[in-house]
């Protein structure tokens, strides 16, 4: 029996809570405290659906995500808490069974709260961004440097698009600043610039070969940036891979195993694993919207327990459950293969307005019929109002997309159990895709009075206030006297030359006048 079916069968038979009507469940969840509220929505797939209802999704997100990013079948699970203490409690006890033994013990230590507060609430100056960032946005090495030489991980690290190619912010900062000043004829005609493309032959699948009729450009990992002064600027990392189909009738276990091997290449950099055993590609096969996979033991479940869907579906995206021609494996023989039935969008930075970054994944049948085409799109949006200085402050989505090995987070012992862990399978594993450390407004703050840049600017301002009333007139008088002295000196020089060499001087004057 499939593990998902087994869990749902247990809830159907043994849980009195799961047997209540939806109206009562919504009424119950609206009366919970933030910690219980966030714990319950992670309990089972029934509450995943309940929390996607309009009544609850607006309470958590403040907006309806499906309107902005279709098709996201379920509302995003935010932490509905305004106080730091409640947020700490939620972070400590939510999904605590997904942490390794070392991180679990670290969560229970008093120093965990202290380290978390230091990494989030204490700030250091970044000489590259000219603002202050939380301590957690600096590597261990950079924290020990003087402020005028210190830089955050956004400038120290890099984004990797494959095992062969990566790029740093210094390589695209000029392009971003130019796009922010570029004014196109209309907002619908932005400029698109290719930052880099890896054309290694290793990206072409062996089962297609170099002589394949497929368009190879999509198989090469590519980074582009697009935008203008009339709209946001978006960095996009894209790649299309091809997954060979081993079995025409797949189960979730076999498909997940194939994706885990497939992800050892480019996909691990563009779409990192979110949680242990939760790979983002499997979101395209949500059983509420997909009927391609075979779940052993499914016949034992009632239709109400399995064929669930959001209480209010705001998007009309076609699915293979409603259109069998969109199935990947066992389509009707007379039906032509259609695309668009298996895709998902993940908000990597959480909320839409938090310097938006999101990941799009779509799985379609390949034109050759022997594999699945998996398309990845990782997008990072640079808003025009980012930062006190144009083009300097980086969005939170940029920090999140950095390759962790580029700034060595495991060297920071204060962040152990909070930001990283070396154990694969632990929720704190440093290569997993994690949420933003802080929100965009808190990530970039104006320098404090003790900031070196502010001290220097203050000294200049004080000098202007102290000497500005009489320093400029004195400087102007000195320049006038200097010019007069130069003129007088030239006059005496000409007079001396005329006395020493009168004939030559007279001939020179005549020659000049003649000319």
């Amino acid at each position: 029996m499939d593990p998902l079916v087994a869990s749902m069968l247990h809830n159907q038979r043994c849980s009195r809570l799961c047997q209540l009507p939806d109206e009562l469940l919504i009424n119950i969840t609206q009366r919970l405290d933030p910690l219980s509220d966030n714990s319950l929505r992670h309990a089972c797939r029934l509450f995943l659906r309940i929390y996607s209802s309009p009544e609850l999704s607006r309470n958590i997100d403040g907006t309806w995500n499906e309107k902005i990013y279709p098709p996201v079948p379920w509302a995003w699970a935010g932490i509905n808490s305004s106080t730091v203490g409640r947020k700490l409690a939620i972070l400590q006890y939510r999904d605590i069974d997904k942490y390794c033994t070392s991180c679990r013990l670290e969560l229970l230590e008093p120093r965990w709260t202290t380290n978390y507060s230091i990494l989030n609430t204490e700030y250091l100056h970044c000489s590259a961004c000219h603002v202050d960032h939380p301590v957690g946005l600096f590597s261990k090495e950079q924290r020990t440097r003087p402020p005028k030489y210190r830089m955050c991980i956004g400038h120290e690290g890099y984004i990797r698009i494959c095992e062969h190619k990566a790029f740093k912010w210094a390589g695209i900062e000029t392009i971003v600043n130019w796009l922010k000043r570029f004014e196109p004829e209309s907002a619908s005609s932005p400029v698109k610039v290719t930052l880099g493309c890896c054309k290694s032959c290793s990206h072409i699948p062996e089962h297609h070969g170099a002589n394949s009729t497929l368009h190879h450009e999509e198989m090469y990992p590519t980074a582009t940036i697009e935008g203008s002064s009339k709209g946001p600027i978006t960095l996009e990392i894209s790649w299309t891979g091809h997954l060979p189909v081993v079995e025409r009738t797949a189960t979730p276990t076999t498909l997940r195993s194939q994706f885990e091997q497939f992800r050892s290449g480019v996909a691990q950099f563009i779409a990192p694993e979110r949680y242990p055993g939760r790979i983002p590609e499997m979101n395209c096969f949500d059983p509420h919207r997909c009927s391609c996979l075979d779940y052993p033991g499914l016949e034992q479940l009632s239709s109400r327990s399995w064929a669930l869907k959001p209480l209010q579906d705001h998007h009309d995206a076609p699915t293979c459950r409603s259109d069998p021609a969109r199935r990947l494996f066992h389509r009707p023989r007379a039906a032509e293969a259609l695309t668009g039935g298996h895709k998902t969008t993940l908000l990597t930075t959480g909320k839409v307005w938090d310097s938006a970054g999101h990941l799009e994944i779509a799985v379609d049948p390949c034109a050759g019929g022997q594999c699945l085409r998996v398309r990845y799109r990782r997008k990072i949006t640079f808003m025009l109002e980012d930062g006190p200085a144009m083009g300097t402050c980086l969005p939170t989505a940029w920090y999140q997309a950095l390759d962790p090995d580029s700034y060595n987070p495991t060297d920071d012992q204060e962040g152990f159990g909070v930001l990283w862990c070396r154990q694969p399978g632990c929720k704190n594993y440093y290569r997993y895709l994690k949420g933003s450390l802080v929100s965009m407004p808190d990530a970039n703050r104006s320098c404090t009075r003790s900031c070196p840049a502010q001290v220097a600017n203050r000294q200049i301002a004080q000098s202007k206030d102290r000497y500005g009333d009489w320093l400029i007139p004195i400087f102007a008088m000195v320049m006038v006297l200097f010019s007069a002295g130069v003129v007088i000196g030239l006059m005496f020089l000409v007079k001396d030359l005329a006395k020493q060499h009168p004939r030559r001087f007279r001939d020179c004057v005549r020659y000049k006048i003649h000319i």
Side-chain angles (χ1 to χ4, degrees):
M1 180 178 294
D2 186 82
L4 181 62
V5 176
S7 300
M8 296 192 67
L9 185 62
H10 173 80
N11 293 338
Q12 176 182 320
R13 294 177 177 177
C14 304
S15 174
R16 295 298 180 92
L17 182 63
C18 293
Q19 298 172 6
L20 293 177
D22 292 342
E23 293 76 12
L24 285 179
L25 293 176
I26 292 176
N27 189 288
I28 292 173
T29 54
Q30 289 176 333
R31 303 172 186 272
L32 298 177
D33 62 275
L35 180 58
S36 302
D37 188 52
N38 282 270
S39 299
L40 183 61
R41 70 170 295 133
H42 289 78
C44 65
R45 297 173 72 249
L46 172 62
F47 289 101
L48 180 66
R49 177 180 67 85
I50 293 296
Y51 274 92
S52 294
S53 63
E55 294 85 355
L56 298 182
S57 63
R58 289 193 178 93
N59 291 339
I60 294 176
D61 292 323
T63 185
W64 187 258
N65 287 354
E66 286 86 337
K67 286 185 177 179
I68 302 175
Y69 288 109
V72 181
W74 315 114
W76 176 73
I79 295 180
N80 187 13
S81 176
S82 57
T83 62
V84 176
R86 298 299 297 170
K87 185 176 181 179
L88 286 174
I90 293 171
L91 289 174
Q92 283 181 305
Y93 296 104
R94 191 177 72 180
D95 300 336
I96 194 171
D97 58 316
K98 293 182 174 62
Y99 294 94
C100 66
T101 304
S102 299
C103 288
R104 201 176 303 157
L105 295 176
E106 191 71 20
L107 286 170
L108 301 177
E109 292 288 338
R111 64 174 178 269
W112 188 92
T113 303
T114 303
N115 292 341
Y116 181 86
S117 299
I118 291 175
L119 295 172
N120 285 269
T121 60
E122 294 189 7
Y123 283 73
L124 294 175
H125 179 69
C126 175
S127 61
C129 296
H130 306 293
V131 295
D132 292 349
H133 300 306
V135 175
L137 293 182
F138 295 89
S139 64
K140 183 66 175 178
E141 178 185 359
Q142 293 293 330
R143 294 176 200 169
T144 59
R145 292 190 175 186
K148 62 180 179 179
Y149 300 116
R150 183 191 300 131
M151 64 176 63
C152 64
I153 60 176
H155 291 268
E156 180 186 9
Y158 51 78
I159 291 180
R160 181 171 293 281
I161 62 175
C162 68
E163 57 270 28
H164 313 108
K165 199 171 187 65
F167 56 90
K168 303 186 72 170
W169 172 250
I172 68 172
E173 182 178 11
T174 304
I175 301 176
V176 172
N177 291 337
W178 177 78
L179 289 175
K180 285 184 176 181
R181 296 188 296 266
F182 177 77
E183 296 185 2
E185 296 180 357
S186 64
S188 60
S189 57
V191 178
K192 189 172 185 179
V193 181
T194 300
L195 299 176
C197 178
C198 181
K199 294 190 176 183
S200 172
C201 59
S202 61
H203 298 310
I204 300 178
E206 296 180 358
H207 60 277
H208 280 296
N211 298 324
S212 173
T213 57
L214 295 177
H215 190 49
H216 286 172
E217 291 299 325
E218 293 183 353
M219 302 182 188
Y220 298 134
T222 305
T224 60
I225 189 165
E226 181 179 6
S228 67
S229 61
K230 295 185 177 180
I233 297 174
T234 302
L235 170 66
E236 179 179 299
I237 305 172
S238 59
W239 176 65
T240 300
H242 290 257
L243 175 67
V245 178
V246 179
E247 300 179 10
R248 303 304 300 180
T249 301
T251 63
T253 303
T254 58
L255 186 62
R256 186 182 296 110
S257 177
Q258 293 180 51
F259 269 121
E260 288 174 351
Q261 298 178 7
F262 176 75
R263 291 177 49 80
S264 61
V266 181
Q268 65 173 322
F269 303 109
I270 301 180
E273 187 176 345
R274 293 180 64 90
Y275 292 109
R278 300 259 319 261
I279 58 178
E281 291 84 354
M282 294 303 295
N283 285 14
C284 299
F285 301 91
D286 190 302
H288 294 145
R289 303 170 55 84
C290 171
S291 59
C292 294
L293 305 182
D294 292 333
Y295 291 82
L298 179 62
E299 65 280 355
Q300 301 184 38
L301 290 176
S302 63
S303 58
R304 180 182 182 274
S305 300
W306 181 254
L308 304 176
K309 74 174 198 176
L311 295 181
Q312 185 173 352
D313 203 349
H314 284 261
H315 51 79
D316 299 324
T319 64
C320 66
R321 183 172 289 278
S322 59
D323 187 359
R326 300 181 184 275
R327 293 177 181 173
L328 299 177
F329 301 107
H330 35 80
R331 294 187 302 272
R333 292 185 178 182
E336 182 181 357
L338 299 177
T339 60
H342 303 82
K343 55 185 177 181
T344 186
T345 302
L346 304 175
L347 302 178
T348 58
T349 52
K351 298 185 179 182
V352 177
W353 57 85
D354 189 13
S355 184
H358 63 277
L359 170 66
E360 299 174 2
I361 303 177
V363 182
D364 296 313
C366 179
Q370 54 185 336
C371 61
L372 298 179
R373 183 180 59 186
V374 188
R375 294 174 295 167
Y376 297 87
R377 300 289 185 273
R378 180 79 176 266
K379 296 184 179 181
I380 301 172
T381 302
F382 301 87
M383 306 303 293
L384 294 181
E385 62 271 21
D386 281 349
M390 180 181 292
T392 56
C393 293
L394 302 173
T396 53
W398 173 271
Y399 291 103
Q400 191 185 49
L402 294 172
D403 184 1
D405 290 330
S406 64
Y407 56 91
N408 300 321
T410 56
D411 293 341
D412 178 22
Q413 292 301 320
E414 293 179 356
F416 174 73
V418 181
L419 299 179
W420 65 270
C421 176
R422 290 191 180 93
Q423 181 65 40
C426 175
K427 188 177 178 179
N428 267 340
Y429 182 53
Y430 76 104
R431 293 205 63 90
Y432 289 155
L433 179 63
K434 301 181 178 65
S436 304
L437 178 67
V438 292
S439 61
M440 185 62 187
D442 295 330
N444 303 300
R445 287 186 177 180
S446 299
C447 301
T448 60
R449 292 186 60 84
S450 60
C451 169
Q454 287 285 25
V455 172
N457 293 335
R458 227 172 18 250
Q459 292 175 350
I460 295 175
Q462 291 174 358
S463 299
K464 290 181 178 179
D465 294 339
R466 186 179 303 173
Y467 306 110
D469 295 337
W470 53 272
L471 187 60
I472 295 178
I474 290 179
F475 179 76
M477 186 180 298
V478 170
M479 292 301 297
V480 170
L481 294 176
F482 177 76
S483 301
V486 171
V487 172
I488 295 173
L490 289 174
M491 292 174 62
F492 278 104
L493 179 62
V494 171
K495 185 177 180 180
D496 291 341
L497 290 174
K499 289 182 178 180
Q500 295 177 7
H501 308 281
R503 181 177 297 178
R504 183 179 297 179
F505 181 77
R506 189 167 49 250
D507 294 341
C508 290
V509 172
R510 288 177 182 175
Y511 177 73
K512 293 294 183 182
I513 294 175
H514 176 72
I515 292 176

